[in-house]
Amino acid sequence: MTLNVVIVDDAADAVDSLAGVLERYCGESGIDCTVSKFGSPIKFLSDYKPVYDIIFLDIDMPTMNGIELAKYIRKMDGEVSIVFVTNMAKYAINGYEVDADDFIVKPVRYGNFKLKLDRVIKKHGSKKNVPYVTVYENGVTKYVQVTDIRYVEVVQHNVIYHMVDGSYEKRGSLKNELSLFTGNGFAQCNKSYLVNLRFVLGIDGYALHLAKARGRLDYEELPIGHPRKKEFVHALNKFLEEHI
């Protein structure tokens, strides 16, 4: 097993201490681990790409705290595991806002670290190898995990990725999108929409109720094409059987 890990903390001694604990864990577990270190959250964010398995973030950092940094990361990467390492445990509860996997209190003790990382790695294993699409916003390149896209809409020669926090548009075709999204929990409900089944709340006749965010009950209604309903319902039922 291999892990690509990054530590972001403005305190160099804390970075080295955590790296040492991580090295021991990987050595005992037979894991091939690559560790990157950043003392500046701004520098880390400036060239971020969704290539990491686990990100360890300190909460109390200057210029940008760990919670703020995690919010930016989540806009570009919905699958990376985020673990807060902090001496401010009372603030770690805010990690739920960014779907953090866990938090570890400083000073890091190996026994507690091992228990928590065992759980994080097990959870992360179910999220690995998820493809992503490249989009552009105001000249900035962003990498979007396909599982974070609520649905894909095709209008003429444009593809629109509808996310929880907005939409991205680019030139493309539904044919090309099908090759990327097939097998990743998506199904076509009509000729123009490719739907992320993770967000489906229900079906009312030929109206599909798609959650506006995971875990929320408010929804957007999309039409289901008559010729595609049987195939779509079959795909949805199969997905639910495999994931519930």
Side-chain angles (χ1 to χ4, degrees):
M1 179 181 183
T2 61
L3 282 179
N4 191 2
V5 178
V6 63
I7 302 171
V8 185
D9 193 324
D10 62 304
D13 57 340
V15 173
D16 291 339
S17 175
L18 180 58
V21 174
L22 187 59
E23 182 180 355
R24 175 183 172 185
Y25 175 88
C26 291
E28 293 180 358
S29 305
I31 296 173
D32 183 10
C33 186
T34 300
V35 181
S36 302
K37 305 174 185 178
F38 287 85
S40 165
I42 300 297
K43 184 177 180 180
F44 170 64
L45 193 61
S46 65
D47 192 32
Y48 184 84
K49 291 181 175 60
V51 297
Y52 301 107
D53 296 300
I54 304 173
I55 301 176
F56 291 95
L57 295 180
D58 182 33
I59 289 182
D60 186 22
M61 293 185 289
T63 67
M64 180 184 294
N65 66 46
I67 300 294
E68 293 171 334
L69 175 57
K71 288 179 180 179
Y72 280 106
I73 293 170
R74 279 292 178 238
K75 290 179 180 180
M76 299 181 286
D77 191 341
E79 301 302 328
V80 66
S81 295
I82 295 176
V83 179
F84 289 111
V85 185
T86 179
N87 52 16
M88 306 171 67
K90 63 180 180 179
Y91 296 115
I93 188 68
N94 295 328
Y96 291 112
E97 299 176 15
V98 292
D99 193 25
D101 290 81
D102 214 326
F103 73 94
I104 299 172
V105 177
K106 296 178 180 179
V108 179
R109 303 186 185 281
Y110 183 73
N112 182 55
F113 178 87
K114 184 180 186 306
L115 288 173
K116 295 197 173 226
L117 200 55
D118 282 344
R119 290 199 299 264
V120 170
I121 290 176
K122 182 177 180 180
K123 180 180 177 181
H124 181 75
S126 64
K127 303 189 293 184
K128 290 190 68 175
N129 301 319
V130 177
Y132 61 87
V133 296
T134 304
V135 297
Y136 303 93
E137 184 179 46
N138 299 323
V140 177
T141 302
K142 292 188 176 184
Y143 302 90
V144 178
Q145 299 278 357
V146 298
T147 50
D148 288 332
I149 299 172
R150 295 171 55 243
Y151 67 99
V152 181
E153 180 181 8
V154 176
V155 181
Q156 295 181 343
H157 298 294
N158 292 325
V159 175
I160 306 171
Y161 300 119
H162 293 273
M163 314 287 293
V164 169
D165 58 352
S167 300
Y168 300 104
E169 186 172 339
K170 72 174 187 179
R171 299 285 288 179
S173 67
L174 187 58
K175 180 180 179 180
N176 290 337
E177 299 304 306
L178 284 171
S179 64
L180 175 64
F181 289 89
T182 299
N184 286 298
F186 283 76
Q188 192 173 354
C189 68
N190 64 39
K191 64 179 182 179
S192 299
Y193 295 118
L194 190 59
V195 173
N196 188 339
L197 300 175
R198 299 165 183 81
F199 288 86
V200 174
L201 291 178
I203 296 174
D204 182 9
Y206 286 90
L208 175 65
H209 294 176
L210 201 67
K212 293 186 176 181
R214 293 185 189 181
R216 284 171 51 176
L217 297 179
D218 52 328
Y219 59 85
E220 179 178 0
E221 192 171 286
L222 299 179
I224 301 175
H226 285 236
R228 295 188 178 277
K229 183 174 181 180
K230 183 177 180 180
E231 182 181 351
F232 180 81
V233 171
H234 175 74
L236 176 61
N237 289 335
K238 183 178 179 181
F239 178 84
L240 293 175
E241 289 174 2
E242 294 174 351
H243 293 83
I244 293 181

